[in-house]
Amino acid sequence: MRQTRRNILAISLLFIVIILTGCVASSLDQAKRQYEMALLAEYPLPYYKAALEELDAVLSRDPNNYQAYAIKGIIYRNLQDFEQASKNLDIAKQGTFGARELWVPTLVNLTYGDIFHGRASEAARSGDWTQAKSYQETSIEFFNNVITSSFQNMDVASTGDPYGASMRSLYVSAQIRWAAP
């Protein structure tokens, strides 16, 4: 069961990364490839590090590349560095996104939901049930925001951006996470 959940998470994150292309082409494309390899690797850390280096190169040329910050947030979330994940996702949220890029803030909320779900699990393992409940409630709020936003914008955002996650896929991902124990 646990392995199945990990496989589903890896596949959904792989799908999201595959569609996160564009921006500063060569470095962002290379970061995406490194991230994809990390998801498939038995020892993903070198690939995550390479992807982060590429993303830093993208951001040194274009500090307003909010998609790069979103990808960094996802990578740090996968590394369970929730502080760095939150820092990068907070920056990604500052971007202005038209209808074609509406998936970026929605993906940020989905990743925040994952972060708080992870924190809830850690708190539960340590026996801090009050904190676990608080984190889980926050996680569910983020997943509900993703469900609402993606459902309201399903047709608009699903058709316009060849590089972005479809709102339908984000809707399904949030539904699955919301329902997960």
Side-chain angles (χ1 to χ4, degrees):
M1 174 76 176
R2 181 176 217 136
Q3 184 64 30
T4 302
R5 287 183 64 198
R6 289 184 81 192
N7 288 343
I8 290 171
L9 178 60
I11 290 169
S12 64
L13 289 174
L14 177 62
F15 172 74
I16 291 169
V17 169
I18 288 170
I19 53 183
L20 290 177
T21 59
C23 299
V24 180
S26 64
S27 290
L28 197 58
D29 288 344
Q30 183 62 26
K32 179 184 85 67
R33 282 191 290 278
Q34 293 294 330
Y35 180 79
E36 290 170 354
M37 289 189 286
L39 290 177
L40 301 172
E42 185 175 348
Y43 302 104
L45 188 58
Y47 299 105
Y48 283 138
K49 285 183 177 182
L52 289 170
E53 288 174 12
E54 292 294 335
L55 292 166
D56 287 341
V58 168
L59 292 169
S60 71
R61 289 191 305 271
D62 180 7
N64 295 321
N65 188 320
Y66 298 107
Q67 290 181 28
Y69 286 111
I71 296 169
K72 282 183 74 171
I74 293 167
I75 291 172
Y76 281 119
R77 184 268 175 248
N78 289 353
L79 293 171
Q80 296 186 352
D81 184 341
F82 299 135
E83 186 177 322
Q84 283 296 317
S86 295
K87 176 184 167 188
N88 283 279
L89 294 172
D90 283 344
I91 295 169
K93 285 190 324 186
Q94 296 172 19
T96 303
F97 303 98
R100 293 182 55 184
E101 296 87 23
L102 202 56
W103 58 271
V104 176
T106 305
L107 179 61
V108 166
N109 280 331
L110 185 64
T111 306
Y112 271 126
D114 287 340
I115 289 169
F116 279 97
H117 182 72
R119 287 179 175 165
S121 297
E122 289 174 0
R125 280 192 293 277
S126 70
D128 188 349
W129 297 105
T130 302
Q131 191 63 54
K133 181 180 184 233
S134 174
Y135 284 144
Q136 192 60 30
E137 288 171 350
T138 303
S139 174
I140 289 170
E141 285 178 41
F142 278 110
F143 294 146
N144 281 337
N145 288 340
V146 172
I147 290 166
T148 302
S149 175
S150 57
F151 185 77
Q152 290 173 345
N153 297 291
M154 199 169 291
D155 292 328
V156 173
S158 293
T159 58
D161 185 4
Y163 303 116
S166 78
M167 294 305 265
R168 284 185 175 91
S169 68
L170 292 171
Y171 176 81
V172 170
S173 294
Q175 288 282 7
I176 289 168
R177 288 169 169 86
W178 187 89

